[in-house]
Amino acid sequence: MAMEITQFLLAAQSADARIRTEAEGSLRQFQEQNLPQFLLSLSFELAKNDKPSESRRLAGILLKNSLDAKDSARKGHLVKQWFAIDVALKSQIKELLLTTLGSSALEARHTSAQVIAKVASIEIPQKQWPELVGSLLNNMTQQGSPAHLKQSTLETLGYVCEEISHHDLVQDEVNSVLTAVVQGMNQSENTAEVRLAAAKALLNALEFSQTNFENEVERTYIMKMVCETACSKEAEIRQAAFECLVSIASTYYEVLKQYMPTLFELTSNAVKGDEESVALQAIEFWSSICDEEIDRQEYDSPDTGDSSPPHSCFIEQALSHLVQMLLETLKKQEEDQDHDDDVWNISMAGGTCLGLVARTVGDGIVPLVMPFVVENITSPDWRSREAATYAFGSILEGPTIDKLAPMVAAGLEFLLLATKDGNNHVRDTTAWSLSRIFEFLHSPDSGFSVISPENLPRIVGVLLESIKDVPNVAEKVCGAIYNLAQGYEDLGANSSLLSPYLTEIITHLLAAAERTDGAESKLRGAAYETLNEVVRCSNLSEASNIIAHLLPAIMKKLAETMDLPIISSDDREKQAEFQASLCGVLQVIIQKLSGSDETRPIIMQNADDIMRLFLRVFGCHSSSVHEEAMLAIGALAYATGAEFVKYMPELFRYLQMGLQNFEEYQVCSITVGVIGDICRALDEQVLPFCDQIMGLLIQNLQSDALHRSVKPPIFSCFGDIALAVGANFERYVAPAIQIMQGAAQVCAQLDTLDEELMDYANQLRRSIFEAYSGILQGFKDTKAELMIPYAQHLLQFVEVVSKDTLRDESVTKAAVAAMGDLADVVGENTKQLFRNFTFCGEFLNECLQSEDEDLKVTARWTQGMIARLMHS
């Protein structure tokens, strides 16, 4: 029996804080003391049309929050709670939810559709609620079903398809869902609201439609309905239909050939004359086709014996018409167009698609675009000049250097002059195009660069002048300097042409970072990022003095941030942002100067002051450990080696805070990595801190509250600690390996069809092998016998992994290395095990056939270790 909770739900939204707090407490108490009745009462509230809309709205929110959460641990807890509720009571809740779909109130119907999908996501994978799809389809087929019930039913079907996997429905159910959805799109039989809901539902159901798209009759019927819907008189419905076509382009590329003439005409008309929201999706359709064809071309490598997926060359066939259509979009800029990354309009979409077309067809695009560039680049109309510049910059990736070099050589001086154009948009796009030139046509180490000793002074002069421009232009100029510096990165000991300009470039980048308008267009972040790249890519022998002078300047700036007045949370945020950027610069300087014996003393002399600054940064942010400061500390540990031990007493509490920071799990992950750096720097000197570190790491692995991405780095860290402390790892070996064995079992149970889970499984397996290798090497020549009880599990784990065709190369390498370490370290005691595990020889032979040189070297070493053991 549902309890009357309307008054509590209304009071929980009261303007009076006392009434609100009291009501929230009562609702929370009801939820904690009797969750099943709480959910039933909420469902009852949502279902009843005579209840106030405010109480129904909150009831819906509380229902959703009782079934789903972003945090995976919280979500797991909610799922367990749902399964614990009595089946009969759950049936009542579900019945009320289905009833609400017929409500006269749109908001209640919409909420109920979402809640039904959340329940479905919990129950359908467990083969529960088998009657749901039938109940929903009944709403669609029942004589006299009102339009609003059909609309909310289609919305529900869409949400359900979004929440569950296509493996969860049998084909008959998929067929029935598709039939209902596609019939819902029928213009002559349904209202606009029903057709819109049907088109949106189809978007989510497409992933389920593999079998239907393989059948030509069914496929053609679906395509016909989508194309007709794309011509509806309502823009919102047309947009939804084009979104379906975008999804079909990537999901069912192989079967599109017969429909392409119709699709070209549809998209072309939409791009030329429809509302922007529809035109954007029509362009996105061609971007999706490009993405598919680029992927297929990359797959089409003659070196692999794999049969590549079919490539229909749609872009090549439509090339001249498609390019013409896209070039026309480039002049549709908005007068007051914002330059932020999150702004998206038809000219940006057209330019992006043009760039994808260039990557798809290569040289063929150049003669189609260059006449447009030549015709418009000197136009008195800013739109034409900007469009020409955007077109030029868009086609720089894809065509060969031979095709691009003459065009860029002819256009470079023109672009340098255009940085002075009277229009902000034109200058912005000019700086972006220069950045693209330096990214794709400036690789001195590979033998080609548009930049020469003759034109470099002019280029640097123009860039340093333009970095003083308005923020959106200056931010793009930072990108150009970034790519310019990066081109000189791989020259080794060779002199860098950029070295004479470094002081000037660094001065201008620091000035850009300190501009009062630096927060606009993300200029400040771009300036610091570029400064880091300039330092990182510099020639150390030529730039060591400049970088050595930069170090105290950055330290001074970081010290000044400690005294910034903090009145509001905005002030605190700005301070954190400054400190993050400056710690990032210090990290790069430390890494650069510690890269050579000649310059490492500069870091050693300043290390105490640097460390004091980092500790002060931590002090400013008591609630969280600063990520960038932590990363920089890792670099300092590497640079100072054993000397770093003197900082450990004071630093240690921040390392502990970092390891316990589950909420900002990236901080936790970085802290784990830094502990690895410290272990490599200190070796046995880290021992006094190991009990607490290992205790926290093991707690973290056992916790469901910690984000799973932190767990692989923790296993790798076990290996770092074991290598550092050697035989002293004995006291941790049993609990550590017990958790490693548990994690190995988890890997075996992960869903191999889920790409994200497979990535995680690969990270987890690699890190477990790295932990085994570190522990084995740590015990070498001292306590190798401690690993005898674990040798069999290690080889069993390697065998399981060797049979998995979805493992990535890094996992293979780590597994092979761990096998070699086992043979090398434990030796004689594993001889019989290696005889029993006959897979080893076959697995190593497979690795020796690999194209990965590192893997072959590791496999040869492991083969040698096992052979030595067998012949001993």
Side-chain angles (χ1 to χ4, degrees):
M1 177 64 193
M3 189 178 125
E4 179 60 51
I5 57 169
T6 309
Q7 292 313 312
F8 293 114
L9 291 166
L10 292 173
Q13 301 170 73
S14 166
D16 185 321
R18 187 185 58 77
I19 295 171
R20 193 169 65 246
T21 307
E22 207 172 291
E24 285 169 353
S26 299
L27 288 167
R28 194 161 41 248
Q29 191 178 2
F30 184 15
Q31 181 178 18
E32 286 164 3
Q33 289 178 357
N34 195 341
L35 180 68
Q37 284 298 324
F38 177 69
L39 296 180
L40 181 63
S41 302
L42 291 174
S43 307
F44 184 82
E45 189 78 23
L46 185 63
K48 294 302 166 195
N49 283 326
D50 57 352
K51 295 291 184 184
S53 61
E54 294 83 1
S55 67
R56 294 174 85 181
R57 182 184 304 122
L58 183 55
I61 291 168
L62 292 172
L63 267 172
K64 277 189 288 186
N65 292 346
S66 301
L67 294 164
D68 192 29
K70 282 181 182 170
D71 178 70
S72 56
R74 169 87 182 135
K75 179 162 185 171
H77 173 66
L78 296 174
V79 168
K80 276 183 198 161
Q81 283 188 330
W82 175 260
F83 281 133
I85 296 172
D86 176 67
V87 173
L89 202 138
K90 278 194 289 198
S91 295
Q92 276 182 271
I93 293 170
K94 291 187 284 193
E95 203 49 53
L96 284 165
L97 291 170
L98 287 167
T99 305
T100 311
L101 294 179
S103 167
S104 55
L106 172 65
E107 191 176 8
R109 297 199 306 272
H110 172 69
T111 303
S112 188
Q114 291 178 313
V115 177
I116 288 168
K118 295 298 178 193
V119 175
S121 73
I122 296 170
E123 294 205 342
I124 288 180
Q126 304 301 321
K127 304 292 179 246
Q128 297 180 19
W129 209 1
E131 68 278 13
L132 170 64
V133 172
S135 303
L136 293 171
L137 294 174
N138 198 35
N139 291 345
M140 298 302 296
T141 53
Q142 214 168 19
Q143 199 65 37
S145 264
H148 70 259
L149 176 60
K150 286 186 174 181
Q151 180 269 334
S152 58
T153 299
L154 287 163
E155 187 178 19
T156 308
L157 284 167
Y159 287 144
V160 169
C161 289
E162 189 176 21
E163 289 284 348
I164 65 175
S165 158
H166 60 280
H167 302 289
D168 293 329
L169 295 184
V170 297
Q171 190 56 43
D172 282 350
E173 289 176 311
V174 173
N175 294 345
S176 301
V177 169
L178 272 179
T179 302
V181 168
V182 174
Q183 282 176 353
M185 293 166 78
N186 191 314
Q187 202 156 344
S188 59
E189 293 173 18
N190 297 296
T191 63
E193 290 75 20
V194 171
R195 283 164 33 237
L196 177 60
K200 287 181 172 178
L202 179 63
L203 183 61
N204 289 327
L206 282 168
E207 192 191 339
F208 293 70
S209 313
Q210 188 77 42
T211 305
N212 311 83
F213 266 80
E214 285 165 4
N215 178 315
E216 190 180 348
V217 175
E218 292 182 37
R219 176 175 77 237
T220 299
Y221 179 63
I222 295 170
M223 291 299 291
K224 175 177 173 287
M225 291 306 294
V226 176
C227 290
E228 283 176 11
T229 307
C231 299
S232 300
K233 65 177 191 290
E234 301 87 355
E236 205 178 350
I237 297 177
R238 293 198 300 277
Q239 181 186 338
F242 273 109
E243 284 173 9
C244 289
L245 289 174
V246 171
S247 177
I248 289 167
S250 55
T251 315
Y252 301 113
Y253 171 91
E254 285 92 347
V255 293
L256 283 184
K257 192 168 189 175
Q258 70 199 85
Y259 313 107
M260 284 309 279
T262 306
L263 293 172
F264 183 83
E265 190 182 347
L266 266 179
T267 51
S268 185
N269 291 339
V271 172
K272 285 173 183 167
D274 211 326
E275 292 187 22
E276 184 172 78
S277 61
V278 183
L280 285 171
Q281 291 303 320
I283 294 171
E284 189 61 29
F285 171 82
W286 288 103
S287 292
S288 286
I289 295 285
C290 287
D291 285 335
E292 279 302 307
E293 297 197 345
I294 290 165
D295 283 350
R296 282 164 160 73
Q297 281 157 207
E298 285 170 359
Y299 199 104
D300 231 349
S301 161
D303 310 336
T304 65
D306 303 332
S307 58
S308 59
H311 189 318
S312 301
C313 303
F314 294 137
I315 299 297
E316 207 171 296
Q317 288 165 28
L319 190 60
S320 60
H321 297 295
L322 181 58
V323 168
Q324 195 50 45
M325 175 182 89
L326 293 171
L327 289 172
E328 284 167 23
T329 67
L330 301 186
K331 292 186 182 181
K332 295 182 181 178
Q333 310 96 323
E334 292 165 21
E335 188 70 53
D336 54 350
Q337 177 172 298
D338 204 334
H339 292 268
D340 284 347
D341 290 345
D342 52 1
V343 173
W344 192 243
N345 57 38
I346 196 159
S347 71
M348 289 175 170
T352 302
C353 188
L354 191 66
L356 289 168
V357 172
R359 287 177 57 199
T360 309
V361 300
D363 289 357
I365 199 168
V366 176
L368 296 171
V369 170
M370 282 316 290
F372 175 86
V373 174
V374 172
E375 185 187 334
N376 290 281
I377 197 91
T378 54
S379 167
D381 173 29
W382 76 264
R383 290 179 187 282
S384 300
R385 296 197 306 280
E386 197 272 342
T389 312
Y390 193 13
F392 184 88
S394 295
I395 63 167
L396 293 172
E397 184 184 11
T400 59
I401 283 177
D402 288 346
K403 192 76 176 174
L404 291 172
M407 157 188 130
V408 172
L412 183 58
E413 179 55 31
F414 194 95
L415 286 172
L416 293 172
L417 289 168
T419 57
K420 294 276 186 236
D421 193 282
N423 181 274
N424 176 352
H425 297 287
V426 176
R427 296 197 306 279
D428 182 285
T429 306
T430 299
W432 173 79
S433 294
L434 285 167
S435 174
R436 300 259 299 172
I437 288 173
F438 303 151
E439 183 178 359
F440 298 113
L441 289 114
H442 168 48
S443 307
D445 66 306
S446 68
F448 178 81
S449 175
V450 294
I451 296 167
S452 63
E454 291 71 40
N455 65 13
L456 183 59
R458 165 99 174 112
I459 289 167
V460 172
V462 166
L463 293 176
L464 296 187
E465 190 56 39
S466 293
I467 204 170
K468 300 171 192 167
D469 205 332
V470 290
N472 60 285
V473 177
E475 187 266 340
K476 302 291 190 309
V477 173
C478 286
I481 296 170
Y482 185 104
N483 289 329
L484 178 67
Q486 207 171 55
Y488 294 111
E489 179 186 3
D490 296 321
L491 292 174
N494 296 333
S495 178
S496 166
L497 288 179
L498 208 57
S499 294
Y501 307 97
L502 279 185
T503 302
E504 215 181 338
I505 290 171
I506 288 169
T507 304
H508 279 76
L509 286 168
L510 287 173
E514 286 175 6
R515 280 169 55 159
T516 51
D517 56 3
E520 291 174 40
S521 298
K522 302 177 183 164
L523 170 58
R524 184 172 296 118
Y528 278 124
E529 236 175 87
T530 304
L531 175 60
N532 290 347
E533 199 62 7
V534 167
V535 171
R536 199 180 65 76
C537 299
S538 61
N539 178 309
L540 186 55
S541 61
E542 295 173 339
S544 57
N545 274 342
I546 298 165
I547 299 169
H549 281 98
L550 179 62
L551 176 60
I554 298 295
M555 287 167 66
K556 182 170 179 283
K557 286 181 196 299
L558 183 56
E560 285 164 1
T561 66
M562 313 294 174
D563 304 320
L564 289 172
I566 308 294
I567 295 153
S568 65
S569 60
D570 265 6
D571 294 336
R572 172 76 62 205
E573 216 173 288
K574 272 185 201 157
Q575 183 195 45
E577 204 182 298
F578 273 125
Q579 291 177 342
S581 296
L582 292 164
C583 286
V585 180
L586 283 175
Q587 182 193 348
V588 174
I589 292 173
I590 292 165
Q591 286 168 333
K592 190 73 181 177
L593 292 177
S594 60
S596 119
D597 291 339
E598 288 77 47
T599 51
R600 189 177 288 112
I602 300 167
I603 298 299
M604 300 301 283
Q605 287 153 23
N606 290 277
D608 290 0
D609 292 333
I610 294 172
M611 194 65 196
R612 266 194 289 275
L613 282 171
F614 291 152
L615 292 170
R616 286 182 69 194
V617 169
F618 288 148
C620 292
H621 305 273
S622 54
S623 63
S624 71
V625 176
H626 212 295
E627 286 177 56
E628 279 75 11
M630 197 55 93
L631 285 166
I633 282 171
L636 190 64
Y638 172 81
T640 55
E643 298 279 311
F644 191 82
V645 73
K646 62 183 169 184
Y647 309 125
M648 282 301 286
E650 211 173 333
L651 173 65
F652 190 61
R653 70 189 177 103
Y654 295 110
L655 293 174
Q656 287 173 299
M657 280 166 60
L659 290 180
Q660 290 165 320
N661 192 345
F662 288 11
E663 204 172 314
E664 296 167 298
Y665 64 87
Q666 296 93 334
V667 173
C668 187
S669 187
I670 286 166
T671 307
V672 172
V674 169
I675 286 170
D677 295 335
I678 291 169
C679 287
R680 285 187 286 278
L682 298 187
D683 290 330
E684 282 199 348
Q685 291 186 95
V686 81
L687 196 56
F689 308 95
C690 277
D691 281 359
Q692 284 166 286
I693 290 173
M694 282 300 294
L696 285 170
L697 292 177
I698 286 170
Q699 271 176 37
N700 285 8
L701 288 170
Q702 289 167 336
S703 167
D704 288 336
L706 179 62
H707 196 276
R708 69 180 186 208
S709 65
V710 186
K711 298 192 176 183
I714 291 177
F715 285 120
S716 301
C717 192
F718 281 179
D720 294 328
I721 293 169
L723 270 171
V725 302
N728 295 298
F729 197 78
E730 179 178 358
R731 71 183 95 168
Y732 314 119
V733 75
I737 293 189
Q738 189 181 347
I739 294 183
M740 285 154 60
Q741 290 174 342
Q745 273 179 309
V746 168
C747 291
Q749 292 155 9
L750 289 174
D751 178 5
T752 54
L753 294 165
D754 184 324
E755 209 173 308
E756 207 178 302
L757 274 180
M758 273 318 295
D759 282 349
Y760 175 64
N762 278 324
Q763 289 168 26
L764 199 53
R765 295 187 298 192
R766 183 182 69 234
S767 66
I768 294 167
F769 287 128
E770 285 171 354
Y772 268 120
S773 281
I775 295 168
L776 282 160
Q777 289 170 30
F779 286 152
K780 190 175 180 181
D781 303 331
T782 54
K783 296 202 171 173
E785 70 282 356
L786 290 174
M787 291 303 287
I788 295 170
Y790 310 111
Q792 182 161 350
H793 173 265
L794 172 53
L795 288 177
Q796 282 169 341
F797 186 36
V798 175
E799 183 172 21
V800 169
V801 169
S802 72
K803 289 174 181 167
D804 177 14
T805 53
L806 295 172
R807 69 178 188 274
D808 70 31
E809 209 82 303
S810 67
V811 175
T812 309
K813 212 176 296 180
V816 170
M819 272 168 66
D821 286 324
L822 182 65
D824 177 33
V825 173
V826 185
E828 193 66 35
N829 292 301
T830 57
K831 189 186 276 192
Q832 194 54 48
L833 270 179
F834 277 106
R835 280 207 186 98
N836 296 346
F837 281 95
T838 52
F839 81 92
C840 296
E842 199 179 311
F843 181 39
L844 289 171
N845 285 334
E846 179 200 317
C847 296
L848 291 167
Q849 305 307 311
S850 167
E851 289 175 11
D852 183 319
E853 269 311 310
D854 285 351
L855 176 55
K856 282 203 274 201
V857 168
T858 307
R860 274 195 290 269
W861 175 79
T862 296
Q863 205 175 40
M865 288 297 117
I866 296 171
R868 188 184 74 182
L869 171 65
M870 292 309 180
H871 296 125
S872 63

